[in-house]
Coordinates of all heavy atoms in Angstrom, one line a residue:
M1445 N -6.2 1.8 19.4 CA -5.9 2.1 18.0 C -5.5 0.8 17.3 O -4.6 0.1 17.8 CB -4.8 3.1 17.8 CG -5.2 4.5 17.8 SD -5.9 5.1 16.4 CE -6.0 6.8 16.9
K1446 N -6.0 0.5 16.2 CA -5.6 -0.6 15.4 C -4.8 -0.1 14.2 O -5.1 0.8 13.6 CB -6.8 -1.4 14.9 CG -7.5 -2.1 16.0 CD -8.5 -3.1 15.5 CE -9.2 -3.7 16.7 NZ -9.6 -5.0 16.4
N1447 N -3.6 -0.8 14.0 CA -2.8 -0.4 12.8 C -3.4 -1.0 11.6 O -3.8 -2.2 11.6 CB -1.4 -0.9 13.0 CG -0.6 -0.1 14.1 OD1 -0.8 1.1 14.2 ND2 0.2 -0.8 14.8
V1448 N -3.3 -0.2 10.5 CA -3.8 -0.7 9.2 C -2.8 -0.5 8.1 O -2.1 0.6 8.1 CB -5.1 0.1 8.8 CG1 -5.6 -0.2 7.5 CG2 -6.2 -0.1 9.9
V1449 N -2.7 -1.4 7.2 CA -1.8 -1.3 6.0 C -2.8 -1.3 4.8 O -3.6 -2.2 4.7 CB -0.8 -2.4 5.9 CG1 0.0 -2.4 4.6 CG2 0.1 -2.4 7.1
I1450 N -2.6 -0.3 3.9 CA -3.5 -0.2 2.7 C -2.6 -0.4 1.5 O -1.8 0.5 1.2 CB -4.2 1.2 2.6 CG1 -5.0 1.5 3.9 CG2 -5.0 1.2 1.4 CD1 -6.2 0.7 4.1
L1451 N -2.7 -1.6 0.9 CA -2.0 -1.8 -0.4 C -2.9 -1.2 -1.5 O -4.1 -1.5 -1.6 CB -1.8 -3.3 -0.6 CG -1.0 -4.0 0.5 CD1 -1.0 -5.5 0.2 CD2 0.4 -3.5 0.5
G1452 N -2.3 -0.4 -2.4 CA -3.0 0.2 -3.4 C -3.8 1.4 -2.9 O -5.0 1.5 -3.3
S1453 N -3.3 2.2 -2.1 CA -4.0 3.3 -1.4 C -4.5 4.4 -2.4 O -5.4 5.1 -2.1 CB -3.2 3.9 -0.3 OG -2.1 4.6 -0.9
T1454 N -3.9 4.4 -3.6 CA -4.3 5.4 -4.6 C -5.4 4.9 -5.5 O -6.0 5.7 -6.3 CB -3.1 5.9 -5.4 OG1 -2.6 4.8 -6.1 CG2 -2.1 6.6 -4.6
G1455 N -5.8 3.7 -5.4 CA -6.9 3.1 -6.2 C -8.2 3.4 -5.6 O -8.3 3.9 -4.5
S1456 N -9.2 3.0 -6.3 CA -10.6 3.2 -5.8 C -10.9 2.6 -4.5 O -11.4 3.3 -3.6 CB -11.6 2.6 -6.9 OG -12.9 2.7 -6.4
I1457 N -10.6 1.4 -4.2 CA -10.8 0.7 -2.9 C -9.9 1.3 -1.9 O -10.4 1.6 -0.7 CB -10.7 -0.8 -3.0 CG1 -11.8 -1.3 -4.0 CG2 -10.7 -1.4 -1.7 CD1 -11.6 -2.8 -4.3
G1458 N -8.7 1.6 -2.2 CA -7.7 2.2 -1.3 C -8.2 3.6 -0.8 O -8.1 3.9 0.4
T1459 N -8.6 4.4 -1.7 CA -9.0 5.8 -1.3 C -10.3 5.7 -0.5 O -10.4 6.4 0.5 CB -9.3 6.7 -2.5 OG1 -10.2 6.1 -3.4 CG2 -7.9 7.0 -3.3
Q1460 N -11.2 4.8 -0.8 CA -12.4 4.6 0.0 C -12.1 4.1 1.4 O -12.7 4.5 2.3 CB -13.4 3.7 -0.8 CG -14.0 4.3 -2.0 CD -14.9 3.4 -2.8 OE1 -15.2 2.3 -2.3 NE2 -15.2 3.7 -4.0
S1461 N -11.2 3.2 1.5 CA -10.8 2.7 2.8 C -10.2 3.8 3.6 O -10.5 3.9 4.8 CB -9.7 1.6 2.6 OG -10.3 0.5 1.9
L1462 N -9.4 4.6 3.1 CA -8.8 5.7 3.8 C -9.9 6.7 4.3 O -9.8 7.3 5.4 CB -7.7 6.4 3.0 CG -6.4 5.6 2.9 CD1 -5.5 6.3 1.9 CD2 -5.7 5.4 4.2
E1463 N -10.9 6.9 3.4 CA -12.0 7.8 3.8 C -12.8 7.3 5.0 O -13.1 8.0 5.9 CB -13.0 8.0 2.6 CG -12.4 8.9 1.5 CD -13.4 8.9 0.3 OE1 -14.5 8.5 0.4 OE2 -12.9 9.4 -0.8
V1464 N -13.0 5.9 5.0 CA -13.7 5.3 6.1 C -12.9 5.4 7.4 O -13.4 5.7 8.5 CB -14.0 3.8 5.8 CG1 -14.5 3.1 7.0 CG2 -15.0 3.7 4.7
I1465 N -11.6 5.2 7.3 CA -10.7 5.4 8.4 C -10.8 6.8 9.0 O -10.8 7.0 10.2 CB -9.2 5.0 8.0 CG1 -9.1 3.5 7.8 CG2 -8.2 5.5 9.0 CD1 -7.8 3.0 7.2
S1466 N -10.8 7.8 8.1 CA -10.9 9.2 8.6 C -12.2 9.4 9.3 O -12.2 10.1 10.3 CB -10.7 10.1 7.4 OG -9.5 10.1 6.8
E1467 N -13.3 8.9 8.7 CA -14.6 9.1 9.3 C -14.8 8.4 10.6 O -15.4 8.9 11.5 CB -15.7 8.7 8.3 CG -15.8 9.6 7.1 CD -16.7 9.1 6.0 OE1 -17.4 8.1 6.3 OE2 -16.7 9.6 4.9
K1468 N -14.4 7.1 10.7 CA -14.7 6.3 11.8 C -13.7 6.5 13.0 O -14.1 6.3 14.1 CB -14.7 4.8 11.4 CG -15.8 4.5 10.4 CD -17.2 4.7 10.9 CE -18.2 4.3 9.9 NZ -19.6 4.6 10.3
G1469 N -12.5 6.7 12.7 CA -11.5 6.8 13.7 C -11.1 5.5 14.3 O -11.7 4.4 13.9
G1470 N -10.2 5.4 15.3 CA -9.9 4.2 15.9 C -8.8 3.4 15.2 O -8.4 2.3 15.6
F1471 N -8.3 4.0 14.1 CA -7.3 3.3 13.3 C -6.1 4.2 13.0 O -6.2 5.4 12.9 CB -7.8 2.9 11.9 CG -8.9 1.9 12.0 CD1 -10.3 2.3 12.0 CD2 -8.7 0.5 12.0 CE1 -11.3 1.3 12.0 CE2 -9.7 -0.4 12.1 CZ -11.0 0.0 12.1
S1472 N -4.9 3.6 13.0 CA -3.7 4.3 12.6 C -3.2 3.7 11.3 O -3.0 2.5 11.2 CB -2.7 4.1 13.8 OG -1.4 4.6 13.4
V1473 N -2.9 4.5 10.4 CA -2.4 4.0 9.1 C -0.9 3.8 9.2 O -0.1 4.7 9.3 CB -2.7 5.0 7.9 CG1 -2.1 4.5 6.6 CG2 -4.2 5.2 7.8
L1474 N -0.5 2.5 9.3 CA 0.9 2.2 9.5 C 1.7 2.3 8.2 O 2.8 2.7 8.2 CB 1.0 0.7 10.1 CG 2.4 0.2 10.3 CD1 3.1 1.0 11.3 CD2 2.3 -1.3 10.7
A1475 N 1.1 1.8 7.1 CA 1.7 1.8 5.8 C 0.7 1.9 4.7 O -0.4 1.4 4.8 CB 2.6 0.6 5.6
I1476 N 1.2 2.5 3.6 CA 0.4 2.6 2.4 C 1.3 2.3 1.2 O 2.5 2.3 1.3 CB -0.3 4.0 2.1 CG1 0.8 5.1 2.1 CG2 -1.3 4.3 3.2 CD1 0.2 6.5 1.8
S1477 N 0.7 2.0 0.0 CA 1.5 1.7 -1.2 C 0.7 2.2 -2.4 O -0.5 2.3 -2.4 CB 1.8 0.2 -1.3 OG 0.6 -0.5 -1.8
G1478 N 1.5 2.6 -3.4 CA 0.9 3.0 -4.7 C 2.0 2.8 -5.7 O 3.1 2.6 -5.4
N1479 N 1.6 2.8 -7.0 CA 2.5 2.5 -8.0 C 2.9 3.7 -8.9 O 4.1 4.0 -9.1 CB 2.0 1.4 -8.9 CG 3.1 0.8 -9.8 OD1 4.2 0.5 -9.3 ND2 2.8 0.6 -11.0
S1480 N 1.9 4.5 -9.3 CA 2.3 5.6 -10.3 C 1.6 6.9 -10.0 O 2.1 7.9 -10.5 CB 1.9 5.2 -11.7 OG 0.6 4.9 -11.8
N1481 N 0.6 7.0 -9.2 CA -0.1 8.2 -8.9 C 0.7 8.9 -7.7 O 0.2 8.9 -6.6 CB -1.6 8.0 -8.6 CG -2.3 9.3 -8.5 OD1 -1.7 10.4 -8.4 ND2 -3.6 9.2 -8.6
I1482 N 1.8 9.5 -8.0 CA 2.7 10.0 -6.9 C 2.1 11.2 -6.3 O 2.3 11.4 -5.1 CB 4.1 10.3 -7.5 CG1 4.7 9.0 -8.1 CG2 5.0 11.0 -6.5 CD1 4.8 7.9 -7.0
E1483 N 1.3 12.0 -7.0 CA 0.7 13.2 -6.5 C -0.3 12.8 -5.3 O -0.2 13.4 -4.3 CB 0.0 14.1 -7.5 CG 0.9 14.7 -8.5 CD 1.5 13.7 -9.6 OE1 0.8 12.7 -9.9 OE2 2.5 14.0 -10.2
L1484 N -1.1 11.9 -5.6 CA -2.1 11.4 -4.6 C -1.4 10.7 -3.5 O -1.7 10.9 -2.3 CB -3.1 10.5 -5.2 CG -4.2 10.0 -4.3 CD1 -4.9 11.1 -3.5 CD2 -5.2 9.1 -5.0
L1485 N -0.3 9.9 -3.7 CA 0.4 9.2 -2.7 C 1.1 10.2 -1.8 O 1.0 10.1 -0.6 CB 1.4 8.3 -3.3 CG 1.9 7.1 -2.5 CD1 0.8 6.3 -1.9 CD2 2.8 6.3 -3.4
E1486 N 1.6 11.3 -2.3 CA 2.2 12.4 -1.5 C 1.2 13.0 -0.6 O 1.4 13.2 0.6 CB 2.8 13.4 -2.4 CG 3.4 14.6 -1.5 CD 3.8 15.8 -2.3 OE1 3.6 15.9 -3.5 OE2 4.3 16.8 -1.7
K1487 N 0.0 13.3 -1.1 CA -1.1 13.8 -0.3 C -1.5 12.9 0.8 O -1.7 13.3 2.0 CB -2.3 14.1 -1.2 CG -3.5 14.7 -0.5 CD -4.6 15.0 -1.5 CE -5.8 15.5 -0.7 NZ -7.0 15.6 -1.5
Q1488 N -1.5 11.6 0.5 CA -1.9 10.6 1.6 C -0.8 10.5 2.6 O -1.1 10.4 3.8 CB -2.2 9.3 0.9 CG -3.4 9.2 0.1 CD -3.5 7.9 -0.7 OE1 -2.6 7.2 -0.9 NE2 -4.8 7.7 -1.2
V1489 N 0.4 10.6 2.2 CA 1.5 10.6 3.2 C 1.4 11.8 4.2 O 1.5 11.6 5.4 CB 2.9 10.6 2.5 CG1 4.0 11.0 3.5 CG2 3.2 9.3 1.9
R1490 N 1.1 12.9 3.6 CA 1.0 14.1 4.4 C -0.3 14.1 5.3 O -0.2 14.6 6.4 CB 1.0 15.4 3.5 CG 2.3 15.5 2.8 CD 2.5 16.8 2.1 NE 3.8 16.9 1.4 CZ 4.9 17.1 2.0 NH1 5.0 17.3 3.3 NH2 6.0 17.1 1.3
E1491 N -1.3 13.5 4.8 CA -2.6 13.5 5.6 C -2.6 12.4 6.7 O -3.0 12.6 7.8 CB -3.8 13.3 4.7 CG -5.1 13.3 5.4 CD -6.3 13.3 4.5 OE1 -6.1 13.4 3.3 OE2 -7.4 13.1 5.0
Y1492 N -2.1 11.2 6.4 CA -2.2 10.1 7.3 C -0.9 9.8 8.1 O -0.9 9.0 9.0 CB -2.7 8.8 6.5 CG -4.1 9.0 6.0 CD1 -4.3 9.4 4.7 CD2 -5.2 8.9 6.8 CE1 -5.5 9.6 4.2 CE2 -6.4 9.1 6.4 CZ -6.6 9.5 5.0 OH -7.9 9.7 4.6
C1493 N 0.2 10.4 7.7 CA 1.5 10.2 8.3 C 1.9 8.7 8.6 O 2.2 8.4 9.8 CB 1.5 11.0 9.6 SG 1.2 12.8 9.4
P1494 N 1.8 7.9 7.6 CA 2.2 6.5 7.8 C 3.7 6.4 8.1 O 4.5 7.2 7.8 CB 1.8 5.8 6.5 CG 2.1 6.9 5.5 CD 1.6 8.2 6.2
K1495 N 4.0 5.3 8.8 CA 5.4 5.0 9.1 C 6.1 4.6 7.9 O 7.3 5.0 7.7 CB 5.5 3.9 10.2 CG 6.9 3.6 10.6 CD 6.9 2.6 11.8 CE 8.3 2.4 12.3 NZ 8.3 1.5 13.4
F1496 N 5.4 3.9 6.9 CA 6.0 3.5 5.7 C 5.2 3.8 4.5 O 3.9 3.8 4.6 CB 6.2 1.9 5.7 CG 7.1 1.4 6.8 CD1 6.5 0.8 7.9 CD2 8.5 1.5 6.8 CE1 7.3 0.4 9.0 CE2 9.3 1.1 7.8 CZ 8.7 0.5 8.9
V1497 N 5.8 4.0 3.4 CA 5.1 4.1 2.1 C 5.9 3.3 1.1 O 7.2 3.4 1.0 CB 4.9 5.6 1.6 CG1 6.2 6.3 1.4 CG2 4.1 5.6 0.3
A1498 N 5.3 2.4 0.4 CA 5.9 1.5 -0.5 C 5.5 1.8 -2.0 O 4.4 2.0 -2.3 CB 5.6 0.0 -0.2
V1499 N 6.6 1.9 -2.8 CA 6.4 2.2 -4.3 C 7.2 1.2 -5.0 O 8.4 1.3 -5.1 CB 6.7 3.6 -4.6 CG1 6.5 3.9 -6.1 CG2 6.0 4.6 -3.8
P1500 N 6.6 0.2 -5.7 CA 7.4 -0.8 -6.4 C 8.1 -0.3 -7.6 O 9.2 -0.7 -7.9 CB 6.3 -1.8 -6.9 CG 5.1 -1.5 -6.1 CD 5.2 -0.1 -5.6
N1501 N 7.6 0.7 -8.2 CA 8.2 1.3 -9.4 C 9.4 2.2 -8.9 O 9.2 3.3 -8.3 CB 7.2 2.2 -10.2 CG 7.7 2.8 -11.4 OD1 8.8 3.4 -11.4 ND2 7.0 2.8 -12.5
E1502 N 10.6 1.8 -9.2 CA 11.8 2.5 -8.7 C 11.9 4.0 -9.1 O 12.2 4.9 -8.3 CB 13.1 1.8 -9.1 CG 13.1 0.3 -8.7 CD 13.9 0.1 -7.4 OE1 14.5 1.0 -6.9 OE2 13.8 -1.0 -6.9
E1503 N 11.5 4.3 -10.4 CA 11.6 5.7 -10.8 C 10.6 6.5 -10.1 O 10.9 7.7 -9.7 CB 11.2 5.8 -12.3 CG 12.4 5.5 -13.2 CD 12.1 5.7 -14.7 OE1 11.2 6.5 -15.0 OE2 12.7 5.0 -15.5
K1504 N 9.4 6.0 -9.9 CA 8.3 6.8 -9.2 C 8.7 6.9 -7.7 O 8.4 7.9 -7.1 CB 7.0 6.1 -9.4 CG 6.4 6.1 -10.8 CD 6.1 7.5 -11.2 CE 5.5 7.6 -12.6 NZ 5.0 8.9 -12.9
A1505 N 9.4 5.9 -7.2 CA 9.8 6.0 -5.8 C 10.8 7.1 -5.6 O 10.7 7.9 -4.6 CB 10.4 4.7 -5.4
E1506 N 11.7 7.3 -6.5 CA 12.6 8.4 -6.5 C 11.9 9.7 -6.5 O 12.2 10.7 -5.7 CB 13.6 8.3 -7.6 CG 14.7 7.3 -7.4 CD 15.7 7.3 -8.6 OE1 16.1 8.5 -9.0 OE2 16.1 6.3 -9.0
E1507 N 10.9 9.8 -7.4 CA 10.1 11.1 -7.5 C 9.4 11.4 -6.2 O 9.4 12.5 -5.7 CB 9.1 10.9 -8.6 CG 8.3 12.1 -8.9 CD 7.2 11.8 -10.0 OE1 7.5 11.0 -10.9 OE2 6.2 12.5 -10.0
L1508 N 8.8 10.3 -5.6 CA 8.1 10.5 -4.3 C 9.1 10.9 -3.2 O 8.8 11.7 -2.4 CB 7.3 9.3 -3.9 CG 6.5 9.4 -2.6 CD1 5.4 10.5 -2.7 CD2 5.9 8.1 -2.3
G1509 N 10.2 10.2 -3.2 CA 11.2 10.5 -2.2 C 11.6 12.0 -2.1 O 11.8 12.5 -1.0
L1510 N 11.7 12.6 -3.2 CA 12.0 14.1 -3.3 C 10.9 14.9 -2.7 O 11.1 15.9 -2.0 CB 12.3 14.5 -4.7 CG 13.6 14.0 -5.3 CD1 13.6 14.4 -6.8 CD2 14.8 14.4 -4.6
K1511 N 9.6 14.5 -2.9 CA 8.5 15.2 -2.4 C 8.2 15.1 -1.0 O 7.6 15.9 -0.3 CB 7.2 14.8 -3.2 CG 7.3 15.2 -4.7 CD 6.1 14.6 -5.4 CE 6.1 14.9 -6.9 NZ 5.5 16.2 -7.2
I1512 N 8.6 13.9 -0.4 CA 8.3 13.7 1.0 C 9.5 13.7 2.0 O 9.4 13.2 3.1 CB 7.5 12.4 1.2 CG1 8.3 11.1 0.8 CG2 6.1 12.4 0.4 CD1 7.7 9.8 1.3
K1513 N 10.6 14.2 1.5 CA 11.8 14.1 2.3 C 11.7 15.0 3.6 O 12.4 14.7 4.5 CB 13.0 14.6 1.5 CG 13.0 16.0 1.0 CD 14.3 16.3 0.2 CE 14.2 17.7 -0.4 NZ 15.3 17.9 -1.3
D1514 N 10.7 15.8 3.7 CA 10.5 16.6 4.9 C 9.6 15.9 5.9 O 9.2 16.5 6.9 CB 9.9 18.0 4.5 CG 8.6 17.9 3.8 OD1 8.3 17.0 3.0 OD2 7.8 18.8 4.1
T1515 N 9.1 14.7 5.6 CA 8.3 14.0 6.5 C 9.1 12.9 7.2 O 10.2 12.6 6.8 CB 7.1 13.3 5.7 OG1 7.6 12.2 4.9 CG2 6.4 14.3 4.8
S1516 N 8.4 12.3 8.2 CA 9.1 11.2 8.9 C 8.8 9.8 8.3 O 9.2 8.8 8.8 CB 8.7 11.2 10.4 OG 7.3 11.0 10.5
T1517 N 8.0 9.8 7.2 CA 7.6 8.5 6.6 C 8.8 7.9 5.9 O 9.5 8.6 5.1 CB 6.4 8.8 5.6 OG1 5.3 9.2 6.3 CG2 6.1 7.5 4.8
K1518 N 9.0 6.6 6.1 CA 10.1 5.9 5.4 C 9.7 5.4 4.1 O 8.7 4.7 4.0 CB 10.6 4.8 6.3 CG 11.8 4.1 5.7 CD 12.3 3.0 6.6 CE 13.5 2.3 5.9 NZ 14.1 1.3 6.7
L1519 N 10.4 5.7 3.0 CA 10.1 5.3 1.7 C 10.7 3.9 1.4 O 12.0 3.8 1.6 CB 10.6 6.3 0.7 CG 10.4 5.9 -0.8 CD1 9.0 5.8 -1.2 CD2 11.1 7.0 -1.7
L1520 N 10.0 3.0 0.9 CA 10.5 1.7 0.5 C 10.2 1.5 -1.0 O 9.1 1.9 -1.4 CB 9.7 0.5 1.3 CG 9.8 0.6 2.8 CD1 8.8 -0.4 3.4 CD2 11.2 0.5 3.3
S1521 N 11.1 1.0 -1.7 CA 10.9 0.8 -3.1 C 11.3 -0.6 -3.6 O 11.9 -1.4 -2.9 CB 11.8 1.8 -3.9 OG 13.1 1.6 -3.7
G1522 N 10.8 -0.9 -4.8 CA 11.0 -2.2 -5.4 C 9.9 -3.1 -5.0 O 9.0 -2.9 -4.2
K1523 N 9.8 -4.3 -5.8 CA 8.7 -5.2 -5.5 C 8.7 -5.8 -4.1 O 7.6 -6.0 -3.6 CB 8.8 -6.4 -6.6 CG 8.5 -5.9 -7.9 CD 8.6 -7.1 -8.9 CE 8.4 -6.5 -10.3 NZ 8.5 -7.6 -11.3
E1524 N 9.9 -5.9 -3.5 CA 9.9 -6.5 -2.2 C 9.4 -5.5 -1.1 O 9.0 -5.9 0.0 CB 11.4 -6.9 -1.8 CG 12.4 -5.7 -1.8 CD 12.9 -5.3 -3.2 OE1 12.7 -6.0 -4.2 OE2 13.6 -4.3 -3.2
S1525 N 9.2 -4.3 -1.5 CA 8.6 -3.3 -0.6 C 7.2 -3.6 -0.2 O 6.8 -3.5 0.9 CB 8.7 -1.9 -1.1 OG 7.9 -1.7 -2.3
L1526 N 6.4 -4.2 -1.2 CA 5.0 -4.6 -0.9 C 5.0 -5.8 0.1 O 4.2 -5.8 1.0 CB 4.3 -4.9 -2.2 CG 4.1 -3.8 -3.1 CD1 3.4 -4.3 -4.4 CD2 3.3 -2.7 -2.5
E1527 N 5.9 -6.7 -0.1 CA 6.0 -7.9 0.8 C 6.3 -7.4 2.2 O 5.8 -8.0 3.1 CB 7.1 -8.8 0.3 CG 6.7 -9.5 -1.1 CD 7.9 -10.3 -1.7 OE1 8.9 -10.5 -1.0 OE2 7.7 -10.7 -2.8
Y1528 N 7.2 -6.4 2.3 CA 7.6 -5.9 3.6 C 6.5 -5.4 4.4 O 6.2 -5.7 5.5 CB 8.8 -4.9 3.5 CG 9.3 -4.4 4.8 CD1 10.2 -5.1 5.5 CD2 8.8 -3.2 5.3 CE1 10.7 -4.7 6.7 CE2 9.3 -2.8 6.5 CZ 10.2 -3.5 7.2 OH 10.7 -3.1 8.5
I1529 N 5.7 -4.4 3.7 CA 4.6 -3.8 4.5 C 3.4 -4.8 4.7 O 2.7 -4.6 5.6 CB 4.2 -2.5 3.9 CG1 3.5 -2.7 2.5 CG2 5.3 -1.5 3.8 CD1 2.8 -1.4 2.0
A1530 N 3.3 -5.8 3.8 CA 2.2 -6.7 4.0 C 2.5 -7.7 5.1 O 1.6 -8.2 5.7 CB 2.0 -7.5 2.7
S1531 N 3.8 -7.9 5.4 CA 4.1 -8.8 6.5 C 4.1 -8.1 7.8 O 4.1 -8.6 8.9 CB 5.4 -9.5 6.2 OG 6.5 -8.6 6.2

C-alpha cells in the first residue's frame, strides 16, 4: 500500500483523484484537505478514514470538528496545517 495525501480533496481534481484511488486500490489515503465544503469533506473522512484532515479556515475547521468527533481522524487547522500534511 502506498500512502497518498490529497490537497484540495473537495475540488474537481481532488474528487477525481479519490475516485481513481477507490477504483484502482493499492493506496491508503493518509491525509486530505479542504477549505469550505465541509459537507463533502466530512463524507470523505468517513469514506476514506484518513489519519489527518486539514482545514486552513479556522471557522470551518471548528464546524468539521463537531461533525467528525466520532472518527479517529485528527483534525488540523490553520494555514500551517497544509504544510504539515504536505511534508
Side-chain angles (χ1 to χ4, degrees):
M1445 274 281 185
K1446 293 190 179 211
N1447 288 325
V1448 176
V1449 173
I1450 306 288
L1451 299 175
S1453 67
T1454 60
S1456 176
I1457 294 172
T1459 55
Q1460 291 175 10
S1461 298
L1462 289 171
E1463 287 175 14
V1464 169
I1465 287 169
S1466 293
E1467 291 173 9
K1468 299 294 181 186
F1471 296 94
S1472 173
V1473 179
L1474 178 65
I1476 59 176
S1477 74
N1479 196 46
S1480 60
N1481 190 343
I1482 298 307
E1483 293 78 23
L1484 180 54
L1485 203 51
E1486 176 191 5
K1487 181 180 175 187
Q1488 291 172 343
V1489 165
R1490 295 190 183 283
E1491 183 173 350
Y1492 296 98
C1493 304
K1495 186 172 182 178
F1496 301 102
V1497 59
V1499 181
N1501 182 315
E1502 303 266 350
E1503 277 184 31
K1504 294 293 185 174
E1506 284 184 40
E1507 183 182 335
L1508 180 63
L1510 293 173
K1511 294 176 181 272
I1512 64 165
K1513 63 183 176 184
D1514 63 323
T1515 72
S1516 62
T1517 299
K1518 182 176 179 179
L1519 174 64
L1520 306 171
S1521 64
K1523 291 180 182 178
E1524 62 279 351
S1525 65
L1526 294 177
E1527 294 171 9
Y1528 183 83
I1529 67 169
S1531 65

